[in-house]
Amino acid sequence: MTSTPNQSPATPVFQQADFENITRVVTEQFQVEESMMELGLPTYYLKEHQETKQHFLKLLKNLDSMNLIAFLRRTNGRILLKVVPKPPVRKSDIRWNWVLLFATIGTTLLTGYILSLDFVNRGLMPNPYIGAAAFTIAIMTILGAHEMGHKLTANRSGIEATPPYFIPGPPPISGFLGIGTFGAVIMQKSLAPNKDALFDVGSSGPIVGFVLALVATAVGLYLSPIVPTTGEVGLPVPLIFELIGAFFISIPANHDVLLHPIAFAGWVGMIVTMLNLLPAAMLDGGHIARSILGDKARLILTGLSILMLIVAGFWPMAILVLFMSTYRHPGPLDDVSPLSSRKKLYAVGLVVVFVLCSYFQYFFYFLMQVFGL
């Protein structure tokens, strides 16, 4: 998951010489229809029907040496460019990243230990520490790779971002399905330069996490024994999890699969991927929806996502998304240039990933409720 800063231009005092120098830099990249100082900011209305994406990136590079950035927006049917001082970026205190990392390793080890006790009691594992280590390595690899996908993509796009913050959580105790963690997050300290970069940052984490979740699921299901059924309610199974299980396991009547801790980590990775790909708020899917459809459509999809979470029984996540939706998505610096066609094709693939990681029956039920069937 990525969190995006809400930056707004300050109101500095530019001297006439500054305005002239900035105007020269702007006109090197764009055909300007009108230039002025508006509320103390160099402001330019650009001529229509000119290439903006690559020229805006070049402008940002030139302005960076002057410690400035620019915003490109469409306002009242015109293309508006504003130049503002580059906001200061606060240096991260990575000591907190390390503290939370080790805390999460501790809580996931405890979770893996508890999950392994049934294996030990059945004589299927020599001691629970093996399962504890296996679960921790699997889940931390999936979540860590997800966030590092965001981080590395942000670095490549020139976006300031923190290292991952892992969030420890409760283990499975007293009937509560705890997984030892609430996931991880990176904090963006600057805005994406354009819609392509916003799409890439939003999509990179779920793609990497999904691939590793597939690997963990395949390995874990291969190691998962078949045991006589106990009548207990099992986990709801994502579609891709069920498909992988059908390939690796043949379950006789009156028997169930006892999930190996690695398989459970794969299941968690798929659920995390599904939730993050919801086109809502500041979730990864929200960034993707913002880059493709704009902010109004993202708000509508956020409302639908909250309803879908409620139908699927994810009440805590529904409340979190509702809270996140109170913050306005700032969008990229260049909110005028269109998303590349290739990214739109990638988006189709992400929809497929979302469906594969979803509880299919819940979404059919949700659609039936929406359309009154």
Side-chain angles (χ1 to χ4, degrees), residues 135 139 142-143 179 181 213 241 263-273:
F135 175 74
I139 192 65
I142 293 170
L143 297 178
I179 60 174
T181 177
F241 197 95
F264 183 62
W267 180 86
V268 171
M270 291 177 183
I271 300 305
V272 168
T273 298

Side-chain angles (χ1 to χ4, degrees), residues 13 40 57 82 84 91 117 137 190 207 212 224-225 259 266 353 364:
V13 176
L57 292 175
K82 280 187 178 290
V84 303
K91 188 175 180 180
L117 291 177
I137 292 171
S190 61
I207 291 173
L212 290 178
S224 298
L259 283 186
V353 170
F364 276 127

Side-chain angles (χ1 to χ4, degrees), residues 52-126:
T52 55
K53 185 180 295 182
Q54 294 304 318
H55 287 285
F56 185 79
L57 292 175
K58 293 178 182 177
L59 175 64
L60 287 180
K61 185 176 181 180
N62 293 334
L63 290 176
D64 186 64
S65 62
M66 305 164 66
N67 203 30
L68 301 171
I69 60 170
F71 290 83
L72 191 63
R73 299 286 186 267
R74 184 171 290 279
T75 305
N76 298 324
R78 303 179 71 186
I79 302 176
L80 175 69
L81 175 74
K82 280 187 178 290
V83 176
V84 303
K86 192 173 184 179
V89 176
R90 185 178 178 181
K91 188 175 180 180
S92 299
D93 185 354
I94 62 171
R95 290 176 297 182
W96 281 108
N97 300 83
W98 286 109
V99 168
L100 290 170
L101 171 63
F102 287 121
T104 306
I105 289 175
T107 54
T108 53
L109 279 171
L110 179 57
T111 298
Y113 181 92
I114 294 172
L115 292 173
S116 303
L117 291 177
D118 196 15
F119 279 78
V120 175
N121 293 336
R122 293 171 183 263
L124 300 172
M125 189 179 291

Side-chain angles (χ1 to χ4, degrees), residues 4-297:
T4 307
N6 190 2
Q7 295 183 349
S8 58
T11 308
V13 176
F14 285 92
Q15 303 297 323
Q16 181 63 28
D18 298 326
F19 176 66
E20 292 175 357
N21 190 31
I22 294 169
T23 300
R24 177 185 57 78
V25 174
V26 170
T27 54
E28 286 177 354
Q29 302 299 331
F30 295 106
Q31 300 175 41
V32 175
E33 192 172 73
E34 187 178 357
S35 61
M36 67 191 74
M37 289 288 289
E38 186 175 80
L39 300 177
L41 296 172
T43 303
Y44 307 88
Y45 287 96
L46 308 184
K47 292 183 179 179
E48 295 284 350
H49 311 302
Q50 59 177 308
E51 200 281 331
T52 55
K53 185 180 295 182
Q54 294 304 318
H55 287 285
F56 185 79
L57 292 175
K58 293 178 182 177
L59 175 64
L60 287 180
K61 185 176 181 180
N62 293 334
L63 290 176
D64 186 64
S65 62
M66 305 164 66
N67 203 30
L68 301 171
I69 60 170
F71 290 83
L72 191 63
R73 299 286 186 267
R74 184 171 290 279
T75 305
N76 298 324
R78 303 179 71 186
I79 302 176
L80 175 69
L81 175 74
K82 280 187 178 290
V83 176
V84 303
K86 192 173 184 179
V89 176
R90 185 178 178 181
K91 188 175 180 180
S92 299
D93 185 354
I94 62 171
R95 290 176 297 182
W96 281 108
N97 300 83
W98 286 109
V99 168
L100 290 170
L101 171 63
F102 287 121
T104 306
I105 289 175
T107 54
T108 53
L109 279 171
L110 179 57
T111 298
Y113 181 92
I114 294 172
L115 292 173
S116 303
L117 291 177
D118 196 15
F119 279 78
V120 175
N121 293 336
R122 293 171 183 263
L124 300 172
M125 189 179 291
N127 66 72
Y129 298 105
I130 295 175
F135 175 74
T136 296
I137 292 171
I139 192 65
M140 294 297 286
T141 299
I142 293 170
L143 297 178
H146 179 121
E147 295 307 323
M148 286 308 297
H150 290 313
K151 171 64 174 172
L152 295 176
T153 304
N155 290 348
R156 188 172 65 248
S157 301
I159 303 170
E160 296 280 351
T162 67
Y165 289 94
F166 286 88
I167 308 172
I173 53 177
S174 301
F176 175 73
L177 184 61
I179 60 174
T181 177
F182 289 114
V185 63
I186 68 168
M187 307 295 291
Q188 287 180 216
K189 298 182 178 182
S190 61
L191 299 183
N194 54 34
K195 294 177 182 178
D196 284 353
L198 181 61
F199 179 93
D200 289 342
V201 171
S203 62
S204 55
I207 291 173
V208 176
F210 174 68
V211 172
L212 290 178
L214 289 179
V215 174
T217 299
V219 172
L221 287 177
Y222 180 77
L223 297 174
S224 298
I226 306 298
V227 297
T229 185
T230 60
E232 296 180 2
V233 178
L235 294 174
V237 181
L239 178 61
I240 186 63
F241 197 95
E242 189 171 352
L243 293 174
I244 295 174
F247 180 81
F248 282 101
I249 301 173
S250 177
I251 306 175
N254 300 318
H255 284 71
D256 289 322
V257 179
L258 183 62
L259 283 186
H260 191 277
I262 295 177
F264 183 62
W267 180 86
V268 171
M270 291 177 183
I271 300 305
V272 168
T273 298
M274 176 193 72
L275 295 176
N276 271 289
L277 281 176
L278 284 170
M282 298 294 183
L283 298 176
D284 298 337
H287 298 322
I288 296 168
R290 177 66 174 79
S291 66
I292 299 174
L293 303 172
D295 204 42
K296 291 182 179 179

